[in-house]
Amino acid sequence: MSEGVFQSITKPAGKPFQQASIPLGADRDDKTSKPPTGKDAVSTAIADELFLTENISKKGASKLKDDLDKIKKDNKVERSISTMFRIISDNHVSLSQMADSKANIMISVNTIVISILVSVLLGKLQFYPEYILPTIILLSICLSAVVFAILATRPNVNRGTFTREDISNKKANLLFFGNFYNMALEDYDWAMKEMMSDREYLNSSMIKDIYFLGVVLARKYKYLRISYNIFMFGLVVAILAFGIAFFVGM
């Protein structure tokens, strides 16, 4: 057989022969492309539901925790405000009691001095005329000190009435007895319920009550200071006057 015939048999004419490439795994079933059926579908649904429930529970728990923290914070602020109002009111009441006690001391001391002067010296001034002026000075000083001490303790009461318009406009302070003592019980009960139902009105009334307590305290201590100053400096002047009268009469 010749060489040309052999080449024609072993090498086909036209396009060269190419082996068809078969992709690996082409004969396998693609399980991921098929939806689950039967027990697998039920398990998948349960797993999804549990996952969603867990996420919702976590979000709900987080929100609930935030709400509880906010409530605790608000309650803490409310307790702090209540404590502040209570402490301020107690301090004002204590200061008022101290002022009344000091005024009572001043009234008692000066009353005793006036009683001694009237009962002892006035009957003997005709024999000791040089003591007339010092006695008048001392009496004037003691009397002035007593007057200002009484002014410090003298109560000041308002008309004791309010109107529904005052309650609607949040002007009446129902925490002070001087603003309601002339009102009927029904009107006062209605006004108090209106105030308690309005937190802003309640806080405003407490602030007003503390403010006016401070105003009363300022008036008390102002008159009390004047009384003590009169007694202190006046007593020095009176003693000097008695000393001068004594040396003049010798």
Side-chain angles (χ1 to χ4, degrees):
M1 185 180 293
S2 63
E3 184 178 355
V5 175
F6 178 78
Q7 290 179 354
S8 63
I9 294 173
T10 59
K11 186 177 180 181
K15 295 181 179 180
F17 176 77
Q18 295 180 353
Q19 185 178 0
S21 61
I22 300 174
L24 295 175
D27 57 342
R28 299 176 184 176
D29 294 334
D30 190 0
K31 295 182 180 180
T32 58
S33 62
K34 295 181 181 180
T37 58
K39 293 182 179 180
D40 293 337
V42 174
S43 300
T44 303
I46 293 174
D48 293 339
E49 185 176 357
L50 290 175
F51 178 75
L52 292 175
T53 303
E54 184 178 359
N55 288 338
I56 293 173
S57 299
K58 288 181 179 179
K59 292 180 180 179
S62 178
K63 187 176 184 300
L64 180 60
K65 183 179 179 181
D66 294 339
D67 293 339
L68 290 175
D69 291 339
K70 184 178 180 181
I71 292 173
K72 289 180 180 179
K73 185 177 180 180
D74 293 339
N75 291 335
K76 187 176 181 180
V77 172
E78 291 295 331
R79 287 196 300 269
S80 300
I81 293 174
S82 300
T83 303
M84 179 193 69
F85 279 124
R86 185 173 63 254
I87 291 174
I88 294 175
S89 297
D90 292 342
N91 289 339
H92 283 189
V93 171
S94 298
L95 289 172
S96 180
Q97 291 176 351
M98 289 173 59
D100 293 339
S101 299
K102 292 177 182 295
N104 289 331
I105 292 172
M106 187 58 58
I107 292 171
S108 300
V109 170
N110 285 279
T111 302
I112 293 172
V113 173
I114 292 173
S115 300
I116 294 173
L117 289 176
V118 171
S119 61
V120 176
L121 286 181
L122 289 182
K124 297 181 180 180
L125 286 179
Q126 56 182 344
F127 303 107
Y128 304 98
E130 64 273 10
Y131 292 110
I132 294 177
L133 183 59
T135 302
I136 293 174
I137 293 174
L138 186 57
L139 280 174
S140 301
I141 290 168
C142 293
L143 186 61
S144 300
V146 168
V147 168
F148 280 100
I150 292 173
L151 288 175
T153 57
R154 187 180 66 172
N156 185 18
V157 183
N158 299 331
R159 55 191 176 91
T161 58
F162 59 85
T163 62
R164 289 181 175 265
E165 185 179 355
D166 294 334
I167 302 300
S168 300
N169 295 330
K170 304 177 183 180
K171 292 182 178 180
N173 179 19
L174 301 176
L175 302 180
F176 177 56
F177 77 97
N179 295 327
F180 61 81
Y181 68 93
N182 279 329
M183 298 297 296
L185 176 60
E186 293 78 10
D187 296 332
Y188 177 70
D189 181 72
W190 170 82
M192 283 295 291
K193 290 178 180 178
E194 288 291 322
M195 184 184 69
M196 289 187 294
S197 63
D198 190 343
R199 192 165 195 82
E200 181 181 357
Y201 185 21
L202 179 60
N203 290 335
S204 177
S205 297
M206 295 175 70
I207 292 171
K208 288 179 181 178
D209 188 59
I210 291 174
Y211 172 78
F212 287 113
L213 278 175
V215 171
V216 172
L217 277 177
R219 182 180 62 84
K220 282 177 177 286
Y221 278 93
K222 176 183 177 181
Y223 287 132
L224 193 60
R225 181 179 178 84
I226 294 173
S227 176
Y228 271 84
N229 286 337
I230 290 173
F231 182 75
M232 179 177 64
F233 295 110
L235 190 61
V236 173
V237 173
I239 291 175
L240 290 176
F242 274 102
I244 293 172
F246 176 76
F247 285 108
V248 169
M250 289 180 63

